[in-house]
């Protein structure tokens, strides 16, 4: 697939999920057996570990379709970047999707830590520290709304991936890969595009939602 074709497949799958008409593709016994010899996923989903945001479900995909990386608050470390590079370079995946969602516990924890001036214990501190730059950016833009912080965090994650990974940025510049940032509404089940790097041609992408973009 091209980046645009991969994007179109995800958009169509999410529309089926929202409408309550999922096809549950590629989940048969026969397909499971075919995949034993290798995988060729068409998109990488880098999302939050929240149990309500299962990528294959909300995009109506099946076994072997998505290469999924999940951390709380989709925070990024060298391990996650290496996994994204694995998908892009070794599996030749044409699309990376950064997926955030409303009511995110990691976003709320980072906002509370900043507002109260008190860091959480253990490795939760590391999690909060990785989200805090997005909190500060949204606050500087004049908003303390959790959805605005979420959108900013998705956008910053898209930028961070491209800036820190030469492998990924090179593939984006060569037209082999695109990165999109999405927010997900838990109640409605719908995703909204808030960031994009790379060309989604030949499939036209929906307009980017800039309603919460920082000024």
């Amino acid at each position: 697939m091209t980046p645009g074709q991969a994007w179109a497949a995800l958009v169509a799958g999410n529309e089926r999920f929202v409408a309550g008409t999922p096809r549950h593709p590629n989940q048969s016994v026969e397909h499971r057996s075919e995949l034993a010899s290798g995988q060729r996923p068409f998109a990488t989903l880098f999302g939050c570990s929240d149990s309500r945001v299962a990528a294959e479900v909300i995009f109506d995909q099946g076994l072997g379709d998505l290469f999924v990386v999940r951390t709380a608050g989709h925070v990024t470390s060298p391990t996650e970047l290496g996994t994204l590079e694995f998908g892009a370079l070794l599996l030749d995946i044409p699309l990376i999707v950064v997926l955030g969602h409303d009511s995110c516990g990691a976003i709320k924890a980072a906002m509370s830590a900043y507002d109260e001036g008190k860091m959480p214990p253990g490795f939760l501190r590391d999690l909060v520290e990785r989200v805090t730059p997005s909190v500060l950016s949204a606050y500087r833009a004049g908003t303390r709304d959790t959805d605005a912080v979420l959108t900013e965090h998705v956008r910053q994650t898209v930028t961070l991936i491209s800036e820190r990974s030469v492998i990924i940025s090179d593939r984006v510049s060569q037209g082999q890969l695109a990165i999109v940032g999405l927010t997900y509404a838990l109640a409605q089940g719908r995703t909204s595009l808030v960031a994009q790097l790379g060309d989604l041609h030949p499939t036209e992408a929906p307009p980017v939602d800039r309603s919460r973009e920082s000024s």
Side-chain angles (χ1 to χ4, degrees):
M1 287 189 181
T2 65
Q5 290 168 334
W7 170 240
L10 289 181
V11 170
N14 183 239
E15 290 295 336
R16 294 193 299 269
F17 174 68
V18 171
T21 57
R23 297 175 184 170
H24 304 295
N26 298 328
Q27 298 181 28
S28 67
V29 173
E30 293 77 15
H31 186 67
R32 183 181 68 199
S33 178
E34 291 170 358
L35 287 173
S37 60
Q39 61 171 323
R40 191 65 184 271
F42 69 85
T44 294
L45 264 294
F46 180 36
C48 182
S49 297
D50 193 295
S51 62
R52 300 165 292 180
V53 193
E56 287 89 351
V57 175
I58 67 176
F59 290 105
D60 190 30
Q61 301 301 320
L63 297 172
D65 291 332
L66 304 180
F67 188 63
V68 181
V69 184
R70 300 175 70 181
T71 62
H74 58 270
V75 298
T76 310
S77 73
T79 299
E80 284 73 50
L81 286 171
T83 305
L84 297 178
E85 290 181 342
F86 181 94
L89 187 62
L90 300 184
L91 298 179
D92 198 27
I93 297 173
L95 183 67
I96 294 175
V97 177
V98 177
L99 182 64
H101 66 93
D102 56 359
S103 299
C104 178
I107 297 292
K108 292 179 179 178
M111 292 175 68
S112 295
Y114 181 81
D115 292 340
E116 299 171 8
K118 182 179 180 181
M119 296 296 289
F123 285 100
L124 288 172
R125 179 185 181 119
D126 184 68
L127 176 69
V128 164
E129 288 176 343
R130 293 177 187 272
V131 180
T132 298
S134 300
V135 175
L136 294 174
S137 180
Y139 281 13
R140 282 196 299 267
T143 178
R144 291 177 176 259
D145 178 72
T146 55
D147 287 342
V149 175
L150 162 67
T151 300
E152 180 62 22
H153 187 49
V154 170
R155 291 184 179 126
Q156 288 204 17
T157 303
V158 169
T159 301
L160 182 149
I161 290 169
S162 178
E163 289 180 344
R164 293 193 179 177
S165 171
V166 174
I167 289 174
I168 289 174
S169 62
D170 283 350
R171 292 181 75 85
V172 171
S173 65
Q174 293 164 8
Q176 299 171 302
L177 175 68
I179 310 174
V180 295
L182 307 181
T183 57
Y184 174 72
L186 292 173
Q188 293 78 27
R190 188 177 298 279
T191 59
S192 298
L193 181 66
V194 298
Q196 177 184 331
L197 285 178
D199 191 3
L200 294 177
H201 182 80
T203 302
E204 184 178 354
V208 176
D209 176 10
R210 300 191 183 279
S211 61
R212 300 191 182 100
E213 188 167 2
S214 300
S215 56

